[in-house]
Amino acid sequence: MRERILKVLKETDGYISGEKISSMLGISRAAVWKHIKALREEGYEILSVTNKGYRLSAEPENISVDRIKDALDTKRIGRNIVYMSRLDSTNEEAKRRADMSDGTLFIAERQESGKGRLGRQWESPRGGGIWMSLLLKPDMPLGSVSEITLAAGLAVCRAVGCGAMIKWPNDIVVGSRKICGILTEMSAEPDTGSINYVVCGMGVNVNIKSFPEELLVKATSLFIETGEKHDRDMIAARILNEFEPVYELLCRKGFGAIREEYARMCITLDKEVRVIYRKNETTGRAVGIDENGALLVDAKEGRISVSSGEVSVRGMYGYV
């Protein structure tokens, strides 16, 4: 229905009343208002005037594949780009099309079922951010695949600036609020240890102007942090340009080659953390990152190495 209302607005020269839209589409005026509100949240500028109705004054700027490619200095990463206006999830699309070439980028204006770590939903409004996934076919040990998430986090921090830091293992934060999430998934043959493919998804909040009340203390965007609108094409290209060398270094030499820089950018270190680890919960102080990218925590039970599980950092809107 939202698309039908948008079509009516685009085809109307001037204003059109909510009453006429409701009559044309067979829905209530309250429903019209609801969809108009949703379109505004997606970046469409829709004027409303009493006794006149609604008028579409501007549409959100779409991602340009050509502009991204022109700004790339990579050899493989992002050289092949699959762009979609809307889909369920760029990670899911990458998995469906895993026969495509190494380094293929899947990018969308909107995700209907974007997801974060541990199956959490990731809000992906049209025009508000960069919702993209890389299809990778790395030559590395099966047990090292999780380190790609850490390399991606480093690349995003370099690219977006604004004092962005990494909350281990896969969140990028500015101050105490999340600006980017990273989700890495893979297909492999456990018996042989061979990797079929890896999908590294990144969701960056760029031009989102506000968040729902329940997310206000948890989420931010480049627009909120700077007060300015940012070029999504150029930010996407910068992330890809930063990702390729750090990813290639990771594949050649392992996480130890980027460990020092990662540790400098990791806001989790020297913080009190709550760890849900192997179905047990404990607290302690994050003291380092080991050679394999695991978080080292000095807990009451002694030092533990956390390579998976849920880690919450105290002091960032409580435990997150």
Side-chain angles (χ1 to χ4, degrees):
M1 184 57 66
R2 196 176 307 169
E3 288 77 11
R4 294 176 66 189
I5 291 176
L6 184 60
K7 185 173 184 292
V8 169
L9 292 171
K10 287 181 177 181
E11 293 175 348
T12 300
D13 184 17
Y15 288 87
I16 182 170
S17 69
E19 183 178 2
K20 186 171 183 180
I21 295 174
S22 67
S23 176
M24 291 172 64
L25 302 181
I27 60 176
S28 67
R29 292 184 64 179
V32 171
W33 163 243
K34 179 181 177 181
H35 290 299
I36 291 289
K37 182 180 178 183
L39 287 168
R40 284 170 171 164
E41 290 173 351
E42 290 187 359
Y44 291 92
E45 294 183 15
I46 302 172
L47 303 179
S48 59
V49 176
T50 304
N51 297 325
K52 283 189 174 183
Y54 303 105
R55 180 171 71 85
L56 179 66
S57 62
E59 298 182 50
E61 296 176 4
N62 289 335
I63 290 287
S64 167
V65 170
D66 289 339
R67 291 187 74 234
I68 292 175
K69 287 186 174 181
D70 287 345
L72 290 179
D73 56 23
T74 60
K75 296 175 183 177
R76 289 180 299 118
I77 298 298
R79 285 300 171 182
N80 184 38
I81 300 179
V82 176
Y83 166 84
M84 293 188 176
S85 175
R86 174 186 292 186
L87 79 171
D88 52 353
S89 154
T90 56
N91 266 33
E92 292 303 313
E93 186 66 18
K95 288 187 283 186
R96 286 190 290 264
R97 302 173 72 169
D99 59 335
M100 298 191 75
S101 59
D102 181 27
T104 295
L105 177 74
F106 297 82
I107 190 165
E109 293 293 344
R110 178 180 174 84
Q111 295 182 117
E112 298 293 346
S113 303
K115 60 181 179 178
R117 190 162 168 260
L118 302 175
R120 293 169 179 150
Q121 185 175 359
W122 181 268
E123 295 296 326
S124 313
R126 176 179 294 276
I130 297 168
W131 325 123
M132 66 183 189
S133 299
L134 282 167
L135 176 66
L136 305 170
K137 299 178 181 179
D139 180 13
M140 63 168 48
L142 189 61
S144 298
V145 168
S146 62
E147 297 166 9
I148 293 175
T149 298
L150 310 184
L154 197 54
V156 171
C157 282
R158 291 177 180 177
V160 304
C162 284
M165 299 284 284
I166 302 164
K167 174 186 171 289
W168 186 92
N170 68 329
D171 288 347
I172 309 303
V173 299
V174 175
S176 63
R177 295 185 291 177
K178 183 173 177 178
I179 200 168
C180 169
I182 300 168
L183 177 64
T184 301
E185 301 177 282
M186 73 169 171
S187 170
E189 304 299 332
D191 293 341
T192 62
S194 60
I195 298 169
N196 297 323
Y197 63 83
V198 174
V199 174
C200 182
M202 292 168 261
V204 187
N205 299 330
V206 180
N207 291 322
I208 298 175
K209 296 180 180 179
S210 63
F211 290 92
E213 186 174 352
E214 64 271 17
L215 295 177
L216 288 178
V217 296
K218 298 181 179 180
T220 190
S221 68
L222 287 174
F223 180 89
I224 290 171
E225 294 299 321
T226 66
E228 298 177 353
K229 191 173 181 180
H230 293 260
D231 189 322
R232 292 185 297 148
D233 298 334
M234 294 302 100
I235 293 172
R238 287 204 303 270
I239 292 172
L240 299 177
N241 287 337
E242 293 289 356
F243 179 78
E244 184 172 87
V246 74
Y247 169 67
E248 291 183 345
L249 184 60
L250 177 72
C251 291
R252 290 197 314 271
K253 298 186 176 182
F255 180 75
I258 62 172
R259 174 187 174 191
E260 185 176 337
E261 183 182 2
Y262 184 91
R264 287 199 305 269
M265 301 297 294
C266 185
I267 199 171
T268 309
L269 297 185
D270 296 322
K271 297 288 197 309
E272 184 180 346
V273 297
R274 181 180 66 189
V275 182
I276 301 171
Y277 174 67
R278 296 177 182 173
K279 297 184 179 180
N280 295 314
E281 183 174 320
T282 188
T283 59
R285 194 166 190 83
V287 296
I289 306 290
D290 75 9
E291 289 291 330
N292 299 311
L295 184 70
L296 301 175
V297 177
D298 281 348
K300 58 184 178 181
E301 302 90 344
R303 179 164 294 185
I304 59 175
S305 175
V306 185
S307 57
S308 62
E310 181 76 359
V311 176
S312 299
V313 184
R314 191 171 191 176
M316 297 170 62
Y317 38 91
Y319 284 108
V320 298

